[in-house]
Amino acid sequence: VQHKVGYKPGQVACSLQLEEILHSGKTSCNHADEVWPDLFLGDMFLAHDRYSLWKMGITHVLNAAHGKMCCKGSHDFYGTTVDYYGVPADDLPNFDLSKYFYSASEFIHKAMTSSGAKLFVHCAVGVSRSASLVLAYLMIYHQFSLVDAIKKVKEHRWIFPNRGFLKQLQTLDMKLGQAQL
């Protein structure tokens, strides 16, 4: 039986363990950090700078704060040279981000398997909503456990999903872990 990297049957980290991992390691971030090959996680400042995105070679944008006051990205804003996907998420513990885990992961996966593609995933600050969607992608398409996904992203960027998103990611972790057994 094959298991996920670092996954042990029946093992799911509790919220306290996850928060300890999140508090450790890298404690800062830039407007964008490459957290996976050709996948950049960042903030609204860079999201609004089309010239810098063009210089980086960004071909795809996933906005995890679509339609929010601070993150007005859209197909019209980026033009025809960038594939855009918007997730209208609130950074609140009671917001159900899990309903976007699979569609956002599919968008990320399609971008990552396109020749020459570079993807920028963002929200307002780039540490909670967008980070949660990147973690879900690593779990769904690369069979990482939640703990391993967090550790992988934290090698390159400080992230801190809110407690509600962490619980939703834990549920995904259990679901994916059971599917691997």
Side-chain angles (χ1 to χ4, degrees):
V1 176
Q2 289 188 336
H3 297 289
K4 296 187 231 175
V5 176
Y7 177 77
K8 295 183 179 80
Q11 172 194 0
V12 175
C14 73
S15 296
L16 185 60
Q17 291 169 311
L18 292 174
E19 287 189 18
E20 284 178 13
I21 294 167
L22 289 166
H23 281 295
S24 67
K26 194 166 182 63
T27 58
S28 64
C29 46
N30 301 301
H31 291 299
D33 293 292
E34 189 173 18
V35 298
W36 190 256
D38 296 323
L39 193 164
F40 297 82
L41 182 55
D43 62 21
M44 66 180 174
F45 179 83
L46 185 60
H48 294 157
D49 185 351
R50 291 180 293 204
Y51 180 70
S52 291
L53 292 172
W54 174 78
K55 282 185 7 188
M56 290 172 64
I58 297 299
T59 59
H60 295 72
V61 172
L62 191 165
N63 177 358
H66 176 77
K68 306 305 172 195
M69 266 318 219
C70 59
C71 295
K72 294 280 188 188
S74 66
H75 292 284
D76 293 337
F77 179 77
Y78 292 107
T80 58
T81 60
V82 172
D83 285 338
Y84 177 84
Y85 183 69
V87 172
D90 292 317
D91 191 12
L92 299 170
N94 64 346
F95 182 85
D96 183 10
L97 188 64
S98 67
K99 65 185 175 186
Y100 297 103
F101 285 168
Y102 284 92
S103 60
S105 292
E106 183 179 350
F107 178 80
I108 294 170
H109 180 70
K110 283 182 180 177
M112 296 292 84
T113 55
S114 297
S115 179
K118 288 189 177 183
L119 172 68
F120 179 59
V121 181
H122 77 91
C123 53
V125 182
V127 300
S128 185
R129 289 172 279 196
S130 56
S132 296
L133 294 177
V134 169
L135 294 172
Y137 162 73
L138 291 174
M139 294 165 67
I140 293 167
Y141 280 95
H142 294 282
Q143 293 74 48
F144 278 78
S145 69
L146 176 55
V147 167
D148 290 336
I150 289 171
K151 287 179 179 177
K152 183 65 180 168
V153 172
K154 281 190 59 66
E155 288 175 10
H156 306 282
R157 182 177 183 83
W158 180 77
I159 59 170
F160 207 88
N162 74 47
R163 287 185 173 157
F165 297 167
L166 281 178
K167 286 187 189 313
Q168 294 168 40
L169 288 164
Q170 286 174 294
T171 300
L172 177 65
D173 198 22
M174 286 190 305
K175 179 181 168 187
L176 293 172
Q178 289 170 353
Q180 294 289 319
L181 295 178

